[in-house]
Amino acid sequence: QVQLVESGGGLVRPGGSLRISCAVSGFTLDAYAIAWFRQAPRKDREQTSCISPNGGTDYADSVKGRFTISRDIPKNTVYLQMNSLKPEDTADYYCAAKRYCSGWAESWGPGTPVTVSS
């Protein structure tokens, strides 16, 4: 069955960097798109980035130029490299599997928290 587990969240200072990971099982990364979502209190859920089955990527304007999504197919892992972090990036970060980046999320991981604070 399709399963996703995030890791790597934590506390980082403004302007710092953090890399979080999404380990997947039950499918291969060339068969599903993987998206990174974030959810902050009193804010709408936001898709920050997505990598398609063919490797194409999409980014939200709020993170473009600062975040980079990538994948390691042999390791069944998707990464989100976050640079120049801002307090507004504080949220729980979730990875989700889709057939396509424009489609519905079919499976979700439990999330990993990211806090940007001095």
Side-chain angles (χ1 to χ4, degrees), residues 5-109:
V5 180
E6 304 90 342
S7 63
L11 175 65
V12 62
R13 307 302 183 191
S17 297
L18 197 66
R19 190 193 208 190
I20 56 177
S21 302
C22 175
V24 307
S25 62
F27 64 97
T28 56
L29 293 176
D30 58 359
Y32 276 82
I34 302 295
W36 281 101
F37 290 83
R38 63 186 181 185
Q39 179 70 64
R42 293 171 277 103
K43 294 183 179 180
D44 292 337
R45 185 184 65 226
E46 178 185 29
Q47 181 173 299
T48 66
S49 57
C50 186
I51 186 163
S52 68
N54 66 8
T57 58
D58 292 297
Y59 297 94
D61 288 341
S62 57
V63 307
K64 193 172 298 182
R66 300 188 297 120
F67 290 13
T68 302
I69 189 170
S70 63
R71 65 184 182 178
D72 188 330
I73 293 176
K75 293 183 178 179
N76 276 10
T77 301
V78 175
Y79 304 97
L80 186 65
Q81 177 68 46
M82 301 179 288
N83 298 326
S84 301
L85 283 162
K86 307 173 181 179
E88 307 91 86
D89 296 317
T90 296
D92 290 329
Y93 283 73
Y94 301 86
C95 58
K98 305 178 174 187
R99 291 294 182 178
Y100 301 96
C101 284
S102 59
W104 286 71
E106 298 182 358
S107 299
W108 296 80

Side-chain angles (χ1 to χ4, degrees), residues 104-118:
W104 286 71
E106 298 182 358
S107 299
W108 296 80
T112 188
V114 173
T115 301
V116 184
S117 176
S118 60

